[in-house]
Amino acid sequence: MREKLYLPELIKGLAVTTRHFLANLFRGRDTNPEILDRKGGNLMSTVSYPEEKKPYAVGYRGLHRLVPREDGRPRCVACYMCATACPAQCIYIEAGEYPTAPDGADAASAVIEKYPVKFIIDELRCVVCGLCVEACPKDAIRMDTGTHAPPAYERPGFLWGIDRLLTGPAVAHPSDPWLKRPDSAQPAHGHKEAHMRIAHAPTPVEITRFDKKD
Amino acid sequence: MADAPKPTSVKLTVDGKPVEVKPGTNLIEAAKQAGAQIPYYCYHPRLTIAANCRMCLVEVSNAPKLVPGCQTPVAENLAVQTRSARVKDAQRAVLEFLLLNHPVDCSICDQAGECKLEDYYMMYDFKPSRLEGGKVLKNKRKVLGPLVVIDQERCILCTRCVRFMEEVAQDRQLGVFGRGSHEVVDIFPNKPLDSNYAGNTVDICPVGALLSRDFRFKARSWFLSATPSVCTGCSRGCNTYADWFNGVTYRYRPRENEAVNKSWMCDQGRLSYKSLNADRVEDARLGKKAEGKTAVFEQAVASAAEKLKVGAANLGFLASPVASVEDLLAGFALAKQLGLKTVFVGGRADGASDKILMQADKNPNRTGLTQIAKANGFEVKPFSALVDDINGGKVRSVYAVGGEVPVGARDAGVVFSKLELFVASATNHSELTDEAHVLLPAATHVEDHGTFVNFEGRAQRFVKCYPAPGNAKPHWQWASAISRTLGGEAAFKTAAEVFAALSTIVPELKDFDWQKAQPRATARKGSLHPLSAGGDGRPAGYREWMEAR
Ligand code: SF4
Ligand code: SF4
Ligand code: SF4
Ligand code: SF4
Ligand code: FES
């Protein structure tokens, strides 16, 4: 009985294989990474990376970057918040102080006294949780690169330092201290300046005149 | 009327709880005794009262308005409210006022994690800022002196630092200048804050305005563990906290002790922690520095014992008063076993002294050394006598507990290079230890438990912070092991034995209970509790390292 039955089943199976083979061979392939939206007659349902790429979701946590200020230095002030929050303990920071006197260091950095001498993330240990980004009070570390750590042949290749992390567009906030003052010394009119900065242009006030009619 | 006896205690209620305190106590202290908390910035129990921060406002039954708790003494039958609606309102208002022009740069500020503004804000305010426009800008980092830098924007003008310099350091180097929101704490023109007690202003500043230039940005306070310790800078033996992380001591802070150092310590002692991290002897070495080979514990002990047996006839025993009582006890037991009658005292040379804390004798344990020498019947001779004996050929081999010498290490090295045998257990490398034929790595006072006896004869315990680096062992362990190898009876096998022997051998320490004298902050039950993971960034097991005993 069994011997009698297996032949039709075998042919059925071969037919499926042949159909897939011919369809994939002759019918066009739609490279839309959204597989369900593909229109081509091709029956292949895989994404052939890296030619075809599925776009990452909005908010995808990619490779870290250290956000630069406009002058190219990192926004990071080495507060260790990210290192403290990191559950994988893969962030290593060494803090340093910009020179106090305006010798060499430009005025913008003199307002910020502290900066990371070393900032290293071990991307192999990272669990991509994004807690470091959440913890940062200075918006200095982001995971908005949209990529992941490129492969490397040795472990040290995954230790990302400032030189590799400091990429991408600079970010500025109106509250940045370097926008408020030229250096760390007391401004001649600390208070007055502060008030003048609130209103960049004086708000126009409508004045109604009650002229005496006579 | 006038002869009415003065009352010895005053009864009052704090938040409805009855409490009995000494007359004249202020409300902050009275509330503490009643288990209530009154927040404060400008009040410091060891300074005069300024009552300028107004954080401590409380409601009392005998005044229509809120009164500052720091300045108000208790009165009979007084009812104090520390958490009433009016008080809460005042606390919130005061905090809002203090934070009005405060830059809140906690991420840069070195005080973050131990800042009273942060703490009290979370406890009593917790409201968004209503300030419109910019804050007053002041000097962000003005160097005041060798140890102190100020951020005038963060200062809340509590004047603790100014009062401290005047009252305790007795050196008016700080003042308040300006008016209103332009008021700043500053030094006088061309007069730096260079008092030897300037570091204390950093400790008492409740916010991050005064910061230590030495400690700044080296470590975040929440990573550090604080272990009660004793300063080794001079024979006063100021009580300290050693703040450490991951086997490195980052700073000393004074620990309160009414009898010894009140709440203060001098800058010279404060910076003495650096020797704990610098150029440590981490491995035993056989042979002088040039041709020395590292050795493991057993090899080093065997070699030292064998050589000492041969050289015992003309041996000199050099003891350092920087070593603890325990170290010296074991060392002297070895000296006795080797048939010695004399010990030579090394240690650091005398230095400056003052009328506040600093003593001329820069060694923490000279009294302890003298006591143990006496108890063992040794004759004590100064270091110069040892130099004479070496030069005269009377002493041809030396065993040293501790590598500190009162003359320059280079000069001593020249003298000691004439020796046929020099066995030294030392903590730091120097020109002297380079001459050792057997160099044994020793643990410092933060790496072992022990006791110092200060110049007044007060025995003070210190406790272990973290394990010694490399293969370093306490002096007593080296001495005991050598003594045991030489067949000694009294050789100490465990720390407990040394400690037990203390009170029996040394008459001055008869009543000294080693376990009880342990500073209470770390006296806890059980033993080692390594944490499996350090969610706070500390390596596992390193949080509160305590040796199993
Ligand atoms: S993403 Fe998570 S694991 Fe990775 S560095 Fe940030 S905090 Fe650490
Ligand atoms: S939390 Fe932000 S500012 Fe702080 S150390 Fe990390 S990256 Fe730098
Ligand atoms: S003093 Fe306190 S509140 Fe102010 S910046 Fe420093 S840590 Fe923050
Ligand atoms: S510097 Fe610190 S201690 Fe001195 S007045 Fe200001 S807040 Fe108080
Ligand atoms: S603590 Fe009472 S007013 Fe400052």
Side-chain angles (χ1 to χ4, degrees), chain B residues 225-247:
Chain B
S225 298
T227 307
S229 189
V230 176
C231 175
T232 59
C234 80
S235 60
R236 167 83 56 181
C238 288
N239 290 210
T240 60
Y241 283 111
D243 286 355
W244 56 274
F245 169 60
N246 212 354

Side-chain angles (χ1 to χ4, degrees), chain B residues 5 63 68 112 114 125 135 150 172 208 271 335 339 351 357 363 417 447 458 519 530 532:
Chain B
E114 45 188 11
D125 189 3
K135 303 190 177 207
I150 192 170
R172 290 188 195 196
L271 296 179
L357 290 175
N363 300 286
S417 64
E447 292 150 10
R458 171 184 296 271
S532 54

Side-chain angles (χ1 to χ4, degrees), chain A residues 179-190:
Chain A
L179 301 177
K180 288 189 187 160
R181 57 196 301 170
D183 56 35
S184 68
Q186 177 159 12
H189 297 288

Side-chain angles (χ1 to χ4, degrees), chain B residues 150 155-162 185 201 204-207 209-210:
Chain B
I150 192 170
C155 170
I156 57 165
L157 276 311
C158 70
T159 67
R160 269 186 182 189
C161 53
V162 180
V185 165
T201 59
I204 58 172
C205 182
V207 302
L210 294 171

Side-chain angles (χ1 to χ4, degrees), chain B residues 228-241 252-255 261 264-273 348 362-365 445 452 454 460 462:
Chain B
S229 189
V230 176
C231 175
T232 59
C234 80
S235 60
R236 167 83 56 181
C238 288
N239 290 210
T240 60
Y241 283 111
Y252 283 160
R253 282 179 302 133
R255 178 161 55 96
N261 58 323
W264 324 115
M265 73 186 293
C266 76
D267 290 353
Q268 181 227 331
R270 191 182 290 270
L271 296 179
S272 66
Y273 78 89
R348 304 176 189 133
K362 297 298 169 203
N363 300 286
N365 199 25
H445 72 292
F452 288 136
N454 83 347
Q460 304 195 100
F462 51 87

Side-chain angles (χ1 to χ4, degrees), chain A residues 64 82 85-88 90-91 121 125-132 143:
Chain A
H64 303 88
C82 51
C86 178
C90 58
I91 304 182
I121 301 183
R125 278 184 72 175
C126 173
V127 297
V128 209
C129 62
L131 288 183
C132 50
M143 296 173 86

